[in-house]
Every structure is written in structure tokens, then in C-alpha cells.
Amino acid sequence: MAIEGPVAIILAAGQGKRMNSDRAKVLHEVCGRSMISYVVDAARGAGARTIIVVVGYAADQLYAALDGEPDIRFAVQDKQLGTGHAVKVCRPLLEGYDGPIMVLVGDEPLLRPEPLADLFERQRKEGAPCLLGTAEVDDPTGFGRILRDSAGRFLRIVEERDCSPEERAIREVNPSCYVFDAPALWSSLDQIGTSNAQGEYYLTDAPEQLLRAGGKVLALNVLSADDILGVNTRQHLAQAGAIMQARIQDHWMTEGVSIVDPGNTYIDGRAKIGRDTLIHPFSVITGVVTIGERCKIGPFAHIRSGTTLADDVEVGSFVDVNRSTLDSGTIARHLAYLGDAKVGRDVNIGGGAITANFDGERKHPTTIGDGARVGANAVLVAPVQVGANAVIGAGAVVPRGEVPAGTTVAGVPAKPLKPAAD
Ligand code: UD1
Ligand code: CA
């Protein structure tokens, strides 16, 4: 099948030893999503139509994590002989493709699509065989440094290990965001060697090689320090998480969500939140969650994956909602647990009420009809169906089965107090 361009290659074969983990480094999560999924999104957002992920360490984990994404292909690098070698193993997949190839690394989850799109665009306009994005940072430790001549023209990238003391002081760094013209990339990779401190094939030698061969190579300072944070340790992972969390919250605030105390709120990268929703401190929203408009969340609410709150829902203090749907106007203001529940409109869930959804082996659903009232400390032993406008007394334990619409039940086990109104 012909390759659809532009192409992006994402390097992800390394183990990431300093993570001290059995998991492939790029699968560690930032705000609920794997690092590599952000890089994939950035590449897509920049316009890449085909994405090749270079895998090696824990390859099976990567196949599983990126399974079913039609634009992603995998290239296997059995031995991690360096970033240049990692790109080279993609060549057989790209036979016959002669368009632009962006190369990124999978451990920079904060990359944003906009500057990468600029790089594609500039490479096309300039017709340059190679273009690279750079960033200026306060602390360049760990990065390759960008060397320029006295006129500011790009000369080469020097790895930190290979730097002289003067080069070490340079604060313009290589974040590993390149765009190459395919034929130029392959020819330069054929010519680079391994005479460096690590004895590896360095992709960073390719731009210099192309420059020496007479090609135009531009280093453009288009990335910000935040964009290029590379994750090598758990400490870096936490730093990336904090920056990503600020971006997520900034996005939702721009969309009209009020967040009272951003530093004490956590919102997963996959959550969606409607306008004029108000989130009080110490609320945690994890996984794929959809929250409607004008909802009130927290303080101390935990809203978990698979949950949908319609408009005007209140989920208050110490309420845990998991894999549940709450229809509009429904209120669970304090100390409740709703798991695998489908709750109708204008339902009131009393303080301390819970769905007992797990029988020790399996999870079971609870449905609660429109207008029902579930009393304080009630336990609904799932599977339970509570009909519309039914009332569950405080402290009732409702056994598996049905509470008919309009009835009031109370006690342990719960029994009808009065029949449905006629
Ligand atoms: C690389 C760059 C450096 C840059 C830095 C941050 C080189 C030689 N150096 O250094 O200039 O500042 O990234 O962007 O390229 N990988 C493979 N196969 C390999 C080696 C690495 O897939 O054989 C992958 C790793 O999994 C990782 C990425 O490439 O995702 C970067 O490798 P890493 O070892 O972290 O490179 P750095 O030393 O950080
Ligand atoms: Ca790195």
C-alpha cells in the first residue's frame, strides 16, 4: 500500500532505564494518557497522515496500546544502536515515499501541534532537505546543544557528552523535532558513523551531514521550554503532569468552566466539561468523563471513567461516581457512591447512600428512575431497578430486584410502606 504523506516517525524503542519500571517508558501516563499518545496527537495535529512508531523494549505493550489506530505503523529496532539507527529501521516501510518526514521522540508529551505544523510548512516552502525546531531553555542539561556560526547560521548539534565547556553553556537545545526530505534523510543516514562518546548512530549527525553535502539546513527557534520537557525519570513525569494539568484546566476555563482552586483540582486529559460548570477544590476527574453545563462539582468529588453527567447535576463532597450516568437536575450532594448506575432526572441521592454494585465476583447495574429519592445511608444491592418517583427510606437496604415506580420502601431489608399513588 502506498504511503500517505506527510509522514512522522516517533522514536520509542528505548527502555528508559531511569524510570525504573517494567513498562515501556512512553506508556507512562501524563494526566491519564500515555506520553506517546500525546506525541501521536501532536504529529497528527501538525498534519502527519502516516505515523511510524519505532518500537524495541516492551514492543508488545506498545502494539497493545496503539492497536487499531489506522494511521499508525510499527518499525522494530531490535537493538538500540542510537537514534540514527532507529530512524533507519523505518526505511523498508517507506520504500517509494519521497515526501517530508518528521522525526520526533516519544518521551516529550508536551509537544504541541502548532509549532510542528510550522516546521512542515517551512520545510515545504524552503525546499530544504532538513529543518529542525529548537528551543531556548534556562537549564539545557541533558539536551544536545545547537551550534551556530557568527552569522547565526546552523552548524551542527553537539550531544552533551561530546560538548566542550563552552558548548555546554549554550542554552539553545535540540528537542528532537526534525523535518527531513525523505531521500536526503536516507542518504545522510547511510553516511553517519559512530565516533562519539556513546559509540551510537546519532540522528543528530544527519543535519550536519546534509549541510556539508551542500544542502540547506535551517534550525528554527519555534519551540518553548515547556513544549520540550523530556521525561527520563519519575520526577520528570510529575513535572510534565503538572504542566499538562495546567494546560487542561486553562483549556476548560477558556471554554467557560470555573475552577475555584486550580492547584488542588485534577482533570484527566480525556474529560469533557460544559460551560458554567463550577468545580470546587480537591475534586478529581479521572478517565473518560463527560460533564454537562451548569453542574456543581465538589469539593472533594471523585468522578471516574465512564461517567456522564447531564446539565445541572450536582456531585458534592465525598461523592464518588464511577461508570455512571446522571441525568439533568440530579443531585448527590454528600458522601455517596454511585457505581454502574443509570440515574434519571431530578433524582436526589441522600448523604451516605450507595450502590453496592460488586458481589465479590461481578459488578451489577443499578437504575434509578426520574424524580426518585434515595434516603440517607440507603444501600441499593445491585442489580436494582428503582422506578420513577419511588422513595427509599433512610437507612434502607434494598435487596436485588425492583422498587416499583411511585412506591416508598424502608427498612432492612426494604419493604413497601405505602402503595403506588393511584
Ligand atoms: C536525544 C538527542 C539529543 C536531544 C534529546 C532530547 C540524539 C543522539 N540525541 O538525546 O540531541 O537533545 O534527544 O530530545 O539523538 N531511541 C530509540 N532507539 C535508540 C535510541 C533511542 O528508539 O536506539 C528513542 C528513545 O526511546 C527515546 C528517543 O529515541 O524515545 C530519544 O532517545 P534518548 O536516549 O532519550 O536520547 P537523548 O540522550 O535524550
Ligand atoms: Ca531523552
Side-chain angles (χ1 to χ4, degrees):
M1 204 168 58
I3 289 289
E4 202 180 341
V7 167
I9 292 174
I10 302 175
L11 307 186
Q15 176 180 2
K17 286 199 189 69
R18 284 180 289 161
M19 294 297 283
N20 197 3
S21 172
D22 292 330
R23 223 194 304 184
K25 175 162 87 169
V26 298
L27 293 183
H28 283 267
E29 286 169 4
V30 171
C31 297
R33 300 180 60 210
S34 68
M35 290 199 262
I36 194 160
S37 66
Y38 290 101
V39 183
V40 165
D41 278 358
R44 278 182 188 140
R49 305 296 294 270
T50 300
I51 294 167
I52 300 178
V53 178
V54 181
V55 297
Y57 180 77
D60 288 343
Q61 294 176 8
L62 274 125
Y63 297 144
L66 298 171
D67 187 36
E69 313 246 2
D71 53 348
I72 296 184
R73 298 177 189 212
F74 296 95
V76 180
Q77 187 194 26
D78 287 321
K79 276 203 187 124
Q80 278 75 70
L81 303 176
T83 47
H85 179 259
V87 173
K88 214 168 172 175
V89 300
C90 300
R91 189 168 180 174
L93 279 175
L94 292 169
E95 213 56 67
Y97 174 76
D98 63 1
I101 299 178
M102 176 173 285
V103 181
L104 304 171
V105 291
D107 61 359
E108 290 177 2
L110 299 170
L111 285 176
R112 281 186 270 217
E114 297 81 7
L116 302 181
D118 284 352
L119 290 179
F120 265 140
E121 176 64 17
R122 278 293 291 274
Q123 193 269 345
R124 199 178 55 78
K125 267 205 207 130
E126 305 276 351
C130 174
L131 203 141
L132 48 125
T134 72
E136 274 208 31
V137 296
D138 292 336
D139 177 10
T141 307
F143 285 102
R145 312 292 204 275
I146 303 293
L147 265 61
R148 295 178 183 273
D149 67 13
S150 53
R153 284 177 300 234
F154 172 78
L155 286 176
R156 62 198 171 94
I157 303 165
V158 193
E159 286 308 284
E160 183 163 80
R161 285 185 177 83
D162 302 301
C163 274
S164 68
E166 298 77 51
E167 289 166 346
R168 206 169 268 265
I170 296 172
R171 292 190 304 112
E172 189 184 7
V173 298
N174 168 38
S176 300
C177 302
Y178 314 80
V179 181
F180 293 93
D181 176 51
L185 175 61
W186 307 132
S187 82
S188 71
L189 290 180
D190 281 340
Q191 295 182 48
I192 62 177
T194 59
S195 51
N196 51 57
Q198 296 197 97
E200 290 186 350
Y201 292 94
Y202 281 176
L203 179 61
T204 45
D205 289 345
E208 179 186 4
Q209 200 284 325
L210 289 166
L211 193 67
R212 282 172 192 246
K216 188 180 200 180
V217 177
L218 298 175
L220 304 174
N221 186 344
V222 293
L223 293 147
S224 76
D226 272 4
D227 291 336
I228 65 161
L229 190 140
V231 173
N232 299 312
T233 62
R234 305 270 181 170
Q235 285 83 348
H236 295 152
L237 189 67
Q239 282 168 21
I243 296 170
M244 187 68 79
Q245 186 55 222
R247 285 189 190 174
I248 290 167
Q249 293 192 23
D250 185 70
H251 168 77
W252 291 118
M253 287 192 271
T254 305
E255 296 288 308
V257 176
S258 285
I259 301 173
V260 175
D261 185 358
N264 288 305
T265 301
Y266 176 88
I267 302 173
D268 191 288
R270 295 161 294 180
K272 296 196 164 46
I273 310 173
R275 262 169 68 127
D276 288 322
T277 281
L278 171 61
I279 302 178
H280 289 287
F282 303 104
S283 294
V284 174
I285 298 167
T286 53
V288 182
V289 166
T290 304
I291 297 176
E293 300 187 355
R294 298 175 303 279
C295 292
K296 292 200 182 102
I297 308 298
F300 297 99
H302 191 187
I303 302 177
R304 297 195 269 156
S305 205
T307 293
T308 300
L309 308 182
D311 298 337
D312 303 297
V313 167
E314 284 185 41
V315 172
S317 21
F318 304 102
V319 174
D320 182 341
V321 186
N322 192 20
R323 288 187 309 272
S324 294
T325 304
L326 277 57
D327 210 342
S328 55
T330 283
I331 295 173
R333 212 165 262 155
H334 0 247
L335 299 157
Y337 172 60
L338 296 166
D340 300 296
K342 192 167 183 307
V343 184
R345 304 169 142 253
D346 300 319
V347 170
N348 191 83
I349 305 288
I354 66 159
T355 55
N357 59 330
F358 186 49
D359 64 10
E361 276 176 23
R362 290 202 297 135
K363 304 274 170 69
H364 299 280
T366 298
T367 59
I368 302 175
D370 295 346
R373 277 158 44 210
V374 178
N377 268 348
V379 178
L380 307 178
V381 183
V384 175
Q385 298 94 44
V386 176
N389 302 311
V391 177
I392 314 282
V397 174
V398 179
R400 293 174 182 159
E402 193 184 343
V403 177
T407 50
T408 297
V409 300
V412 181
K415 299 220 170 71
L417 281 191
K418 70 171 194 236
D422 44 12

